[in-house]
Amino acid sequence: MTTDFNSFFQFAITVDNVIFGFDGQDLKVLLMKRGEIPYMDDWALPGHFVKQEEDLTSAAGRILEELTGLKSVYLEQVKTFGKASRHPMGRVMTVAYYSLININDFEIKPAFIAKKATWFKVSDVLKTPLAFDHKDILIACIDRLKVKVKTQPIGFELLPNKFTLTELKQLYESVLQHQLDKRNFRKKILSMKILIDLQESQEGVAHRPAKLYSFDSERYNRLIEDGLHFDISYPAMQA
Amino acid sequence: MTTDFNSFFQFAITVDNVIFGFDGQDLKVLLMKRGEIPYMDDWALPGHFVKQEEDLTSAAGRILEELTGLKSVYLEQVKTFGKASRHPMGRVMTVAYYSLININDFEIKPAFIAKKATWFKVSDVLKTPLAFDHKDILIACIDRLKVKVKTQPIGFELLPNKFTLTELKQLYESVLQHQLDKRNFRKKILSMKILIDLQESQEGVAHRPAKLYSFDSERYNRLIEDGLHFDISYPAMQA
DNA sequence: GCAAAAGTGTTTACAGTACACCCATGG
DNA sequence: CCATGGGTGTACTGTAAACACTTTTGC
């Protein structure tokens, strides 16, 4: 009975992290070039083994911080992948997380530059193979992000503190893969009253400068309690 | 390096399964009385260790089938719980699934009767303690079910093949914890044209017998491709 | 004929949609 | 003065919401 019991304790757990960023134009994902077998030289999601005394959530945070230096960013567990054959070196399950970071706050830590951590356009990565089952993991995280971004104000995590409405719209379009109508989008967002008008404008652009806004999370929380329905849906489409 | 690597392979993985049923009145969950330490004699979710050569998904299906004899029921992975301290006997992560079964199809397998597998009203279980972190797991599964049932036609999994519109409404009310307006609910469901009118009625009830319907999944799939939005939301409320 | 649940329509209000032109700036 | 993207309003349409009475059966 005891030996039987011990035989179950032979799994390894990894966390793989789909780190999303937004460059003002496209949704991006951070990949690393593998320096070891298996899948040597293939692109892979950043990830690592969970340590014996480490909470799962802490492991996810650790991976992100080791790589980017960022703490307390948006991090959400998505799904656990556990096919017996998924890892050639043994029985390894992986728990997929995704995180949303402001691409400007970020610099790749020196220790990881050798591993060629790089941003890729999500749409490009979907066309190329990745190590292990990382393509499946990426797809699961994209799908979750699409659902989540429509009903929770997490899109702001991908933007700088100060942003324009056009940037916000572009962000939603690149995540949802749908065009949004400019006037309807502005009307909807502004009517929620969850943005602070910073009374500032862009500078040095060769066109009428856009107003800058920031997200008012305290106000958002108050409004949610009063029954606000945050919902960005893409029936507001355009040809 | 190799020893280091092997040191990661000391986790055990379990699957815990929140099995939901519906008795026509309330949403129910199946619990088992633990016959061993830790948490001897406490109520717990059905679950078991994942075996070395077993896919995670297969393990979830196996647990369900061993207990109920049911195959190919609705089964969805929800979340993995991995606090280092969550299991007193060692490092055990658990992957939570929930499943939806038709309570009439079901009988507890003899091997499990000794373990006192029993249905409880979900609303009652939420008021009592459970073994391990199973309360957290249950809550996560309820939350997921609430979200899912609104936008996917999974509620039918909990009903007999033939059901009345009142039963369907009662089901949604017990899952969503909101009253729905009778006329608006009927109008909405029937306008989707995803139910087959069986041209039969209840028998032996002491009031006007209700018409029986069944869910037309093929038609549903066709309509979804044509852009049907399945959405049962509870703004259709009543005092 | 009474109790109990099934079944049925209309009106109102709000939110989603479609759509085109003027404005401010840099070069 | 031209190119570029920023910013604005209105009319229409469809769906959600509120709401009360009649019907059918068993006893």
Side-chain angles (χ1 to χ4, degrees):
Chain A
M1 180 64 190
T2 304
T3 54
D4 197 22
F5 186 77
N6 286 336
S7 76
F8 290 120
F9 283 81
Q10 301 192 13
F11 288 77
I13 313 287
T14 59
V15 166
D16 286 312
N17 200 338
V18 175
I19 301 172
F20 288 113
F22 177 69
D23 65 0
Q25 211 61 38
D26 297 295
L27 187 66
K28 304 257 191 156
V29 61
L30 192 59
L31 298 179
M32 311 221 297
K33 192 163 214 167
R34 279 184 65 82
E36 61 247 311
I37 55 165
Y39 296 100
M40 169 88 86
D41 292 333
D42 284 357
W43 292 100
L45 296 170
H48 203 271
F49 287 101
V50 179
K51 298 175 184 170
Q52 266 301 310
E53 299 302 331
E54 188 178 44
D55 289 348
L56 179 57
T57 310
S58 316
R62 172 173 60 84
I63 287 158
L64 188 68
E65 192 185 346
E66 283 175 357
L67 176 58
T68 67
L70 298 174
K71 288 186 191 189
S72 63
V73 302
Y74 186 85
L75 188 62
E76 179 180 342
Q77 188 190 307
V78 174
K79 195 177 169 191
T80 297
F81 291 77
K83 278 191 72 168
S85 61
R86 66 172 292 280
H87 198 298
M89 309 287 281
R91 192 64 205 271
V92 182
M93 289 211 189
T94 195
V95 186
Y97 282 76
Y98 75 92
S99 39
L100 304 178
I101 73 173
N102 175 351
I103 211 165
N104 302 310
D105 288 352
F106 160 87
E107 56 183 88
I108 296 165
K109 286 287 193 77
F112 290 93
I113 290 177
K115 292 197 171 183
K116 297 190 182 150
T118 320
W119 290 105
F120 289 86
K121 282 169 70 168
V122 166
S123 52
D124 290 341
V125 175
L126 287 172
K127 294 177 213 147
T128 63
L130 295 178
F132 303 102
D133 49 3
H134 286 189
K135 180 73 82 69
D136 296 333
I137 295 175
L138 175 62
I139 290 170
C141 289
I142 293 170
D143 288 347
R144 175 71 66 90
L145 175 61
K146 278 187 190 176
V147 169
K148 211 72 192 264
V149 84
K150 281 193 248 181
T151 56
Q152 305 221 195
I154 60 174
F156 303 105
E157 307 284 338
L158 289 162
L159 290 174
N161 281 335
K162 302 176 178 186
F163 52 85
T164 69
L165 291 182
T166 304
E167 285 166 348
L168 186 62
K169 170 169 168 284
Q170 180 65 32
L171 164 64
Y172 276 102
E173 288 176 339
S174 64
V175 171
L176 297 175
Q177 299 278 59
H178 279 268
Q179 296 302 108
L180 301 169
D181 179 86
K182 181 163 66 165
R183 279 179 288 192
N184 293 337
F185 179 81
R186 296 177 146 256
K187 207 188 310 172
K188 194 168 195 172
I189 288 283
L190 291 174
S191 73
M192 291 183 194
K193 302 195 188 303
I194 57 176
L195 297 186
I196 300 170
D197 180 346
L198 295 171
Q199 311 285 0
E200 295 176 55
S201 297
Q202 287 179 310
E203 287 176 17
V205 287
H207 55 76
R208 177 170 173 178
K211 291 175 80 174
L212 294 171
Y213 293 87
S214 67
F215 173 58
D216 189 340
S217 59
E218 287 168 30
R219 178 158 193 146
Y220 171 79
N221 290 328
R222 258 182 283 126
L223 291 171
I224 284 296
E225 296 201 352
D226 297 351
L228 172 69
H229 277 290
F230 183 91
D231 198 325
I232 308 293
S233 23
Y234 46 75
M237 284 199 310
Q238 217 177 14
Chain B
M1 181 63 192
T2 304
T3 56
D4 197 21
F5 186 77
N6 286 335
S7 76
F8 291 120
F9 283 80
Q10 302 192 10
F11 288 77
I13 313 288
T14 59
V15 166
D16 286 313
N17 200 338
V18 175
I19 301 171
F20 288 113
F22 178 69
D23 64 1
Q25 211 60 39
D26 297 296
L27 187 66
K28 304 258 192 154
V29 61
L30 192 59
L31 298 179
M32 310 221 298
K33 190 162 213 168
R34 280 184 65 81
E36 61 246 311
I37 55 166
Y39 296 99
M40 169 88 88
D41 291 333
D42 284 356
W43 291 99
L45 296 170
H48 203 271
F49 288 101
V50 179
K51 297 174 184 171
Q52 266 301 309
E53 300 301 332
E54 187 177 44
D55 289 348
L56 180 58
T57 310
S58 316
R62 172 174 58 86
I63 288 158
L64 188 69
E65 192 184 347
E66 283 176 356
L67 176 58
T68 67
L70 298 175
K71 288 187 191 189
S72 65
V73 303
Y74 185 84
L75 187 62
E76 178 180 341
Q77 188 190 307
V78 174
K79 194 178 170 191
T80 296
F81 291 76
K83 278 191 72 170
S85 61
R86 67 172 291 283
H87 199 298
M89 309 287 281
R91 192 62 205 271
V92 182
M93 290 210 188
T94 195
V95 186
Y97 283 77
Y98 75 92
S99 39
L100 304 178
I101 73 173
N102 175 351
I103 212 164
N104 302 310
D105 289 351
F106 160 88
E107 56 183 87
I108 296 164
K109 286 289 191 77
F112 290 94
I113 290 177
K115 292 196 170 183
K116 298 189 181 151
T118 321
W119 290 106
F120 289 87
K121 284 169 68 168
V122 166
S123 52
D124 290 343
V125 174
L126 288 172
K127 293 178 211 146
T128 63
L130 295 178
F132 303 103
D133 48 3
H134 286 189
K135 181 72 82 67
D136 297 332
I137 296 174
L138 175 62
I139 291 170
C141 289
I142 293 170
D143 288 346
R144 175 71 66 90
L145 175 61
K146 278 188 190 176
V147 169
K148 212 70 193 264
V149 83
K150 282 193 248 182
T151 56
Q152 306 221 194
I154 59 173
F156 303 105
E157 307 285 337
L158 290 163
L159 290 173
N161 282 334
K162 302 175 177 188
F163 52 84
T164 69
L165 290 182
T166 304
E167 285 166 348
L168 186 61
K169 170 168 168 283
Q170 180 65 31
L171 165 64
Y172 276 103
E173 288 177 338
S174 65
V175 170
L176 297 176
Q177 299 277 60
H178 280 267
Q179 297 301 108
L180 300 169
D181 179 87
K182 181 164 65 166
R183 278 178 288 191
N184 292 337
F185 178 81
R186 296 177 146 256
K187 208 186 311 169
K188 194 168 195 172
I189 288 284
L190 291 175
S191 72
M192 291 183 193
K193 302 193 186 304
I194 57 176
L195 297 186
I196 301 170
D197 180 345
L198 294 172
Q199 312 286 359
E200 296 177 54
S201 296
Q202 287 179 309
E203 286 176 18
V205 288
H207 54 77
R208 178 171 174 176
K211 293 176 77 174
L212 293 171
Y213 293 87
S214 67
F215 174 58
D216 188 340
S217 59
E218 285 166 32
R219 179 159 192 144
Y220 170 80
N221 290 328
R222 259 183 283 126
L223 290 171
I224 283 296
E225 295 200 352
D226 296 351
L228 172 69
H229 276 289
F230 183 91
D231 198 325
I232 308 293
S233 20
Y234 45 75
M237 285 199 308
Q238 217 178 15

